[in-house]
Amino acid sequence: MIISKWPAAAVCGLVATLAVGLFPPAAAAADEPTGKPAPKVDLVLDVSGSMRTRDIDGQSRMTAAKQAFNEVLDAVPQEVELGIRTLGANYPGKDTKVGCKDTKQLYPVGPLDRTEAKTAVATLAPTGWTPIGPALLGAAEDLAGDGDATRRIVLITDGEDTCAPLDPCEVAREIAAKGIHLTIDTLGLVPDDKTRRQLTCIAEATGGTFTSVQHTDELSRRVTQLVDRAADPVVTPVATEGAARCADAPRIKPGLYSDREKFAEHRWYRVDVLPGQELRASVSIGADRAVNPDYGVLLRAVTVHGREIVRGSEAGDGRTDVISSGLRYPKPPLDDEDDTDVKPAAETVCLQVSNAFSAPASVKTTPGLPVELTVDLVDSPDEPSDLAAFGLGRGWWLLGTLALTGLVAGLLWGWLSRLRVVWRSN
């Protein structure tokens, strides 16, 4: 009996050792007060009659929105002050003047009581009009004050505004012109082309994003990302213009850049990488209009002579409005024997951004698709083994360790099973 217990203990010890090695405990971060005003987010939810439509995962759009809101409210960072505003939630009649004033603050912007906010959302039922313009004006008022605070409106709707002539796109431009640093992000629930165009215009007016949503989990995930972004604001992209070839490309430094790229176009940028540095780059291209299914994005790093160093690519099939890819290129440090008095020369790396988008004949292809390019230079690991860090899951070390773990555990388990059979037979 003692003999049969030893292999089990060995297996447990081996697994525990490997678990500690592969997944070290995360260091606790101390919460330090920053002294900055709390970031504020106002979620604006469409509760108009069309939200009864049942085309999101077999349930109504309203049910999907409520489910997503419950998940989002559970995940709101503690430092974020959040509010909820509705549009079309109260007036079911046909009077335009009344219907176009139907927007109300359901939960005030401030410290979040999750139970109270969920209860308020649970009472909503699809009712009336779609006064997006008035709702945006109301949300801007909800977020007034604290000029230095990060402020974000997240609009969730399934249709275009029904309260013309108050154009919500013009409302967004007016909000942006006030210089109050308020960003509007829009999410369209199963949007048609008109809704897509209007929501894209609203978002672009304030530097926000538009996302098309087809499923409940997509809605929950995207709203959570946007709320988190308010807590950890993204740096404003620097406008740049890529070239048709590397020799003419702009030389860029670490940072976030925006550009526009024509359909099926290649654009080039240059980055200087010193020995001992690692280049990390990623690119995102947004489909801000109707496009044909099956598309892709390619990000390549090549030398000035055209030799490919590394590439990253991603393909899509029309289920998302943004497609991204990235790459990493570690440049080895100089040998210790090299003359340290001589300043090391930087290598010029050419970054190529290409897309494989196409559009229906009725869709305008100008201006080009929006591009966001992120470039970073960090210290390259001193040892090759560090490039295969377990936490990053890169290289052959992780694969080899997992294979060895499986082999050893399998052998020990087989030995244990055979010993048990022998013990029982005796």
Side-chain angles (χ1 to χ4, degrees), residues 261-263 289 358-360 363-369:
E261 190 171 271
K262 296 178 181 177
F263 283 75
R289 69 208 74 176
S358 62
V363 175
K364 293 182 179 180
T365 58
T366 55
L369 299 168

Side-chain angles (χ1 to χ4, degrees), residues 237-243 246-259 267-274 277 279-283 299-300 327 346-353 371-377:
V238 176
T240 188
E241 185 174 350
C246 179
D248 302 325
R251 199 176 298 273
I252 59 179
K253 298 179 179 180
L256 179 64
Y257 299 88
S258 64
D259 199 354
R267 287 214 166 184
W268 293 86
Y269 312 84
R270 289 184 292 175
V271 182
D272 291 333
V273 184
L274 290 169
Q277 288 186 326
L279 168 64
R280 300 179 180 179
S282 62
V283 65
L299 178 63
R300 287 203 312 152
L327 58 80
E347 176 189 6
T348 297
V349 176
C350 303
L351 290 177
Q352 176 192 357
V353 176
V371 175
E372 275 196 357
L373 176 64
T374 303
V375 173
D376 197 9
L377 292 170

Side-chain angles (χ1 to χ4, degrees), residues 52-65 67 216:
R52 300 189 191 96
T53 306
R54 303 179 63 87
D55 58 0
I56 297 184
D57 300 330
Q59 57 188 354
S60 71
R61 297 171 183 178
M62 192 72 246
T63 301
Q67 180 179 331
T216 306

Side-chain angles (χ1 to χ4, degrees), residues 37 39 88 114 139 279 305 397:
R114 289 174 169 78
L279 168 64
H305 303 295
W397 284 93

Side-chain angles (χ1 to χ4, degrees), residues 138-158:
E141 290 295 325
D142 298 343
L143 298 169
D146 289 338
D148 294 333
T150 299
R151 285 174 287 182
R152 186 176 295 272
I153 295 173
V154 180
L155 170 65
I156 301 131
T157 180
D158 68 339

Side-chain angles (χ1 to χ4, degrees), residues 18 111 270 278 310 325:
L18 288 169
R270 289 184 292 175
E278 179 175 279
V310 65
S325 185

Side-chain angles (χ1 to χ4, degrees), residues 11 15 46 50 88 115 151 171 182 184 199 204 216 252 255 274 308 319 331 340 354 404 407 411 418:
V11 171
V15 172
D46 182 351
S50 59
T115 301
R151 285 174 287 182
V171 170
L182 192 158
I184 303 175
L199 296 182
E204 287 184 347
T216 306
I252 59 179
L274 290 169
E308 182 175 294
R319 295 175 63 87
K331 185 170 176 59
T340 56
S354 304
L404 179 61
L407 177 62
L411 290 173
R418 293 182 63 182

Side-chain angles (χ1 to χ4, degrees), residues 113-131:
D113 183 323
R114 289 174 169 78
T115 301
E116 186 177 342
K118 287 182 180 181
T119 301
V121 171
T123 63
L124 297 175
T127 302
W129 296 61
T130 312

